């Protein structure tokens, strides 16, 4: 699959092209930058506007084969001659965000409150590429670089930014400069950011869920809006690790039995490509809880965990089986946490609602809800 380039790479390329045109007086239709990954990015330069004191141009985002809401979006850079304020060193490069680039309003993000949501790696990339042009042209003055994305405010509605407290547009992101198709790293980075924001708000306990599956149940049973949880997708183990790194003391994991059953087998990544064994784990727990061979065989022939739950319910062993599953899942969750994080868990199904919860789960959820009110 074809890789692409991040908004950070596009911003750095546009800034380099604009700086070149401003300081040389020559038009530039293509530009090459080095990405932190070591892969060069040759970009086409579009929408060029030039004056004596400013050049404005854009590079179009190409996400490769990775689905991305910013794919095809123009990322603009304006480079302006700027007066040095008293005490500033010669050659300073000032970087800010313009239209369509978000502003940080909550602590815990990559940038401090009030700054444009241009993360530190893209800032370093922009500064490096513009400095290269200053050295090439022997320019000793100060330049101001303003990154803008005209479509950014609209696109931000399809991202996590509103939830993270980034207002007015998208973030300029990227740690390697490269977009890898179906990259799990981008999702892990998002989970880390959300955890850091929660922790910076003073939260010591956090609710985590693979997704919003079961939202109606959680609202009805616990009066809890599941979309307030950190969405960990399949990365339960990684999320535990990151919660510890962020300094959380307690974590509540809630989720559908179809994913969380895998925890009872020690699987900390619940994606199907990492393994399945849902029915095998369900059947084994059922046997331990006392179901007969016919019920175990029927479970092994099931396609969905919901179907398996119905078999356990008919056998009269659902509660006992779920207790076995929770005991095993809790063991593996706490083993991953290595005594550095207290973890509680709730598992549910669509038809039966709550299947099982660990001893302190309800109490921890009430604590989390109280903090969020």
């Amino acid at each position: 699959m074809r890789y692409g380039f991040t908004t950070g790479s596009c911003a750095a390329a546009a800034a380099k092209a604009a700086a070149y045109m401003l300081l040389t007086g020559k038009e530039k239709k293509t530009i090459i930058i080095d990405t932190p990954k070591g892969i060069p990015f040759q970009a086409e330069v579009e929408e060029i506007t030039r004056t004596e004191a400013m050049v404005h141009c854009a590079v179009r985002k190409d996400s490769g084969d990775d689905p991305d809401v910013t794919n095809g979006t123009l990322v603009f850079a304006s480079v302006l001659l700027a007066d040095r304020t008293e005490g500033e060193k010669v050659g300073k490069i000032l970087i800010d965000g313009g239209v369509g680039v978000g502003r940080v309003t909550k602590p815990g993000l990559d940038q401090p409150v009030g700054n444009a949501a241009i993360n530190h790696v893209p800032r370093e990339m922009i500064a490096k590429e513009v400095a290269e042009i200053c050295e090439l042209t022997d320019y000793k003055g100060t330049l101001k670089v303003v990154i803008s994305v005209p479509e950014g405010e609209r696109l931000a509605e399809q991202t996590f930014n509103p939830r993270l407290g980034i207002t007015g547009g998208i973030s300029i992101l990227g740690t390697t400069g490269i977009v890898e198709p179906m990259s799990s790293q981008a999702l892990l980075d998002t989970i880390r950011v959300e955890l850091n924001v929660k922790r910076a708000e003073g939260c010591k306990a956090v609710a985590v869920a693979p997704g919003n599956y079961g939202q109606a149940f959680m609202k009805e049973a616990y009066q809890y809006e599941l979309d307030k949880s950190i969405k960990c997708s399949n990365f339960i183990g990684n999320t535990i690790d990151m919660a510890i790194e962020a300094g959380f003391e307690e974590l509540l994991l809630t989720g559908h039995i179809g994913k969380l059953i895998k925890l009872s087998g020690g699987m900390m990544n619940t994606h199907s490509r990492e393994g399945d064994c849902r029915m095998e784990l369900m059947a084994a727990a059922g046997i331990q809880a006392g179901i007969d061979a016919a019920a175990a065989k029927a479970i092994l022939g099931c396609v969905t965990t919901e179907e398996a739950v119905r078999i356990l319910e008919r056998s009269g062993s659902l509660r006992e089986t779920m207790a076995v599953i929770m005991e095993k899942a809790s063991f593996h969750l706490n083993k991953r946490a290595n005594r550095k994080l207290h973890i509680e868990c709730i598992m549910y199904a669509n038809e039966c609602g709550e299947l099982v919860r660990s001893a302190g789960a309800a109490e921890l959820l009430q604590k989390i809800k109280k903090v969020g009110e």
Side-chain angles (χ1 to χ4, degrees):
M1 298 179 76
R2 189 171 62 89
Y3 61 77
F5 295 91
T6 63
T7 48
S9 289
C10 295
K16 183 176 186 178
Y20 179 88
M21 288 185 275
L22 179 64
L23 298 180
T24 66
K26 300 176 182 178
E27 191 165 279
K28 193 75 170 170
K29 291 289 190 178
T30 62
I31 197 78
I32 298 176
I33 67 163
D34 294 320
T35 65
K37 185 84 168 180
I39 298 172
F41 175 30
Q42 179 168 322
E44 300 291 327
V45 182
E46 304 182 35
E47 303 283 332
I48 299 169
T49 302
R50 298 165 59 192
T51 70
E52 287 187 7
M54 182 274 294
V55 172
H56 182 69
C57 67
V59 167
R60 193 174 297 275
K61 170 74 182 293
D62 178 3
S63 300
D65 289 327
D66 189 65
D68 189 324
V69 298
T70 60
N71 188 43
T73 301
L74 286 171
V75 179
F76 283 85
S78 298
V79 178
L80 307 86
L81 299 175
D83 295 328
R84 278 189 295 118
T85 58
E86 192 64 32
E88 283 184 347
K89 65 181 181 179
V90 171
K92 189 173 181 68
I93 297 166
L94 309 173
I95 300 171
D96 201 1
V99 173
V101 172
R103 287 275 159 188
V104 177
T105 66
K106 292 183 179 180
L109 294 167
D110 181 273
Q111 292 296 303
V113 172
N115 269 23
I118 304 173
N119 279 11
H120 73 281
V121 172
R123 285 176 183 269
E124 291 167 3
M125 292 172 67
I126 292 166
K128 172 183 175 293
E129 299 298 339
V130 172
E132 184 179 303
I133 299 301
C134 290
E135 185 177 353
L136 177 70
T137 58
D138 199 31
Y139 178 74
K140 304 296 184 183
T142 300
L143 293 178
K144 182 175 183 179
V145 180
V146 179
I147 305 301
S148 58
V149 183
E151 296 182 75
E153 191 164 2
R154 176 183 63 81
L155 292 171
E157 296 174 2
Q158 304 172 58
T159 72
F160 283 97
N161 277 14
R163 179 171 172 165
L164 296 174
I166 298 173
T167 62
I170 65 168
S171 299
I172 304 300
L173 303 170
T175 54
T176 65
I178 300 298
V179 177
E180 297 180 28
M182 304 303 291
S183 172
S184 61
Q185 188 59 50
L187 182 52
L188 288 169
D189 289 345
T190 299
I191 296 167
R192 186 185 297 278
V193 167
E194 289 206 73
L195 286 168
N196 287 340
V197 168
K198 289 278 189 187
R199 189 67 190 92
E201 290 173 347
C203 300
K204 294 182 179 180
V206 63
V208 170
N212 281 335
Y213 205 55
Q215 188 160 17
F217 160 72
M218 288 299 291
K219 187 173 183 178
E220 182 179 348
Y222 289 102
Q223 295 74 55
Y224 179 70
E225 297 288 350
L226 200 58
D227 59 5
K228 294 180 180 178
S229 295
I230 302 292
K231 301 304 177 295
C232 66
S233 185
N234 295 297
F235 301 104
I236 294 172
N238 296 94
T239 302
I240 290 170
D241 298 343
M242 290 187 284
I244 293 169
E245 290 171 15
F248 284 97
E249 297 175 1
E250 297 178 289
L251 183 150
L252 173 65
L253 174 65
T254 67
H256 188 273
I257 186 65
K259 279 197 178 293
L260 300 196
I261 180 66
K262 297 181 182 182
L263 297 173
S264 68
M267 296 173 63
M268 292 289 117
N269 184 322
T270 57
H271 196 287
S272 58
R273 69 168 171 255
E274 299 293 327
D276 192 350
C277 300
R278 291 169 300 155
M279 304 314 159
E280 289 83 354
L281 291 167
M282 191 84 82
I287 290 170
Q288 190 172 343
I291 65 172
D292 59 25
K297 186 176 180 180
I299 289 172
L300 290 171
C302 290
V303 176
T304 69
T305 49
E306 292 277 344
E307 186 182 357
V309 165
R310 287 194 292 270
I311 292 171
L312 288 169
E313 192 173 28
R314 288 196 297 270
S315 74
S317 300
L318 178 60
R319 183 175 178 180
E320 293 80 1
T321 302
M322 289 302 127
V324 171
I325 289 168
M326 179 58 77
E327 181 183 0
K328 293 179 182 295
S330 293
F331 169 80
H332 290 294
L333 288 168
N334 286 296
K335 182 180 179 183
R336 182 65 175 247
N338 195 25
R339 299 184 181 180
K340 297 175 182 177
L341 184 70
H342 173 70
I343 300 177
E344 300 286 350
C345 183
I346 299 173
M347 298 183 193
Y348 47 79
N350 293 340
E351 293 184 14
C352 295
E354 182 173 290
L355 296 172
V356 64
R357 66 174 183 260
S358 57
E363 182 181 352
L364 179 54
L365 180 57
Q366 292 306 314
K367 182 191 295 188
I368 291 169
K369 282 174 59 181
K370 188 175 181 180
V371 172
E373 291 174 353

